[in-house]
């Protein structure tokens, strides 16, 4: 993974057909996806359960771009090596998920994966300040984590602006997760984001048998920014 500031679209497989993940991933990549975003939820840190390292390992051979694994789980540390072994290129942990985020980021980097730090909507940007030299990505949640299809929280745009100023010339991506579509994408990109996680906005109306719609949706977001 080479760092660059170009806008990247990362479809979230949370909105894909769970029974057909491999084909869904191949379809969205063929239609222009830059990364594949994998939302891992535990029913404890967030009120939903999705999948774990075994699923990540199963879909890894189908991902030719970047496997971006977002851990919405607590505790995080006991599972880092398993997700790294499953092939995650980026492992993102929530600052709110445990008392020792510095140790968590160290553990992620020790596996060779890129380290991401996620901030919930109610967590201020300044929490990330002491950690900027330890992260490769900051994920700004623009909905409360746990479910897809929620409405974008507009007050989070200012957080993106603050983070971009704090990051300066460091090679750190700002990722937006939640409510990204043609109307909200331009707001966060203008504020400094460069990775856009989109679930329903990419997968809506399409299917493995009708993948062109995925391409239309991806291009619509990209053209909007």
């Amino acid at each position: 993974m080479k760092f660059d500031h170009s806008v990247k679209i990362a479809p979230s497989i949370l909105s894909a057909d769970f029974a057909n993940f491999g084909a869904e991933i191949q379809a969205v990549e063929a239609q222009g996806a830059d990364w594949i975003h994998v939302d891992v939820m535990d029913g404890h840190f967030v009120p939903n359960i999705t999948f774990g390292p075994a699923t990540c390992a199963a879909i890894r051979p189908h991902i030719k771009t970047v496997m971006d694994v977002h851990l919405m789980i607590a505790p995080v540390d006991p599972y880092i090596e398993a997700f790294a072994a499953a092939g995650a290129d980026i492992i993102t942990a929530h600052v709110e998920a445990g008392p020792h985020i510095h140790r968590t980021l160290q553990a992620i980097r020790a596996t060779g994966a890129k380290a991401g730090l996620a901030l919930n909507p109610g967590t201020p940007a300044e929490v990330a300040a002491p950690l900027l030299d330890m992260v490769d990505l900051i994920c700004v949640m623009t909905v409360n984590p746990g479910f897809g299809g929620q409405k974008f929280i507009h007050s989070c745009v200012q957080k993106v602006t603050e983070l971009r100023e704090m990051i300066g010339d460091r090679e750190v991506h700002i990722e937006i997760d939640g409510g990204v579509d043609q109307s909200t994408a331009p707001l966060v990109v203008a504020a400094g984001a460069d990775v856009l996680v989109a679930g329903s906005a990419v997968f809506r109306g399409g299917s493995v048998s009708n993948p062109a719609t995925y391409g239309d949706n991806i291009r619509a977001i990209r053209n909007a920014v």
Side-chain angles (χ1 to χ4, degrees):
M1 273 184 66
K2 292 184 178 180
F3 181 87
D4 70 82
H5 276 301
S6 64
V7 174
K8 289 160 281 292
I9 309 297
S12 168
I13 62 170
L14 190 63
S15 295
D17 177 0
F18 276 34
N20 211 8
F21 269 159
E24 288 275 54
I25 289 165
Q26 292 171 17
V28 292
E29 287 192 332
Q31 291 296 323
D34 300 292
W35 293 5
I36 299 298
H37 189 80
V38 184
D39 287 304
V40 176
M41 305 181 189
D42 64 355
H44 170 68
F45 180 66
V46 293
N48 196 7
I49 298 173
T50 55
F51 27 74
T55 300
C56 291
I59 64 175
R60 175 71 257 193
H62 300 280
I63 298 174
K64 306 306 180 189
T65 56
V66 172
M67 186 175 183
D68 176 30
V69 177
H70 178 189
L71 300 182
M72 287 170 271
I73 66 175
V76 178
D77 293 10
Y79 302 98
I80 289 170
E81 289 189 6
F83 282 102
D89 295 300
I90 304 168
I91 299 176
T92 296
H94 273 257
V95 69
E96 306 89 358
H100 306 297
I101 188 61
H102 190 281
R103 179 185 298 162
T104 299
L105 295 171
Q106 284 181 318
I108 293 171
R109 298 194 107 176
T111 68
K114 300 290 186 183
L117 175 71
L119 306 179
N120 281 339
T123 300
E126 53 263 30
V127 169
L131 304 166
L132 292 177
D133 292 320
M134 296 190 65
V135 298
D136 301 286
L137 176 147
I138 297 178
C139 176
V140 177
M141 295 300 301
T142 44
V143 300
N144 286 296
F147 296 96
Q150 298 182 64
K151 290 186 177 180
F152 182 88
I153 300 173
H154 283 265
S155 60
C156 294
V157 175
Q158 178 59 32
K159 186 188 299 186
V160 178
T161 302
E162 294 169 9
L163 285 167
R164 180 49 64 197
E165 183 175 349
M166 289 164 50
I167 289 168
D169 60 0
R170 296 177 178 88
E171 293 187 350
V172 177
H173 296 290
I174 297 181
E175 178 176 78
I176 305 301
D177 190 353
V180 171
D181 57 23
Q182 296 175 58
S183 63
T184 58
L187 303 177
V188 292
V189 170
D194 63 323
V195 182
L196 305 177
V197 175
S200 55
V202 167
F203 286 98
R204 184 185 295 115
S207 65
V208 168
S209 59
N210 179 31
T213 299
Y214 295 158
D216 291 341
N217 293 340
I218 290 170
R219 283 187 294 274
I221 297 171
R222 204 182 301 280
N223 291 339
V225 300

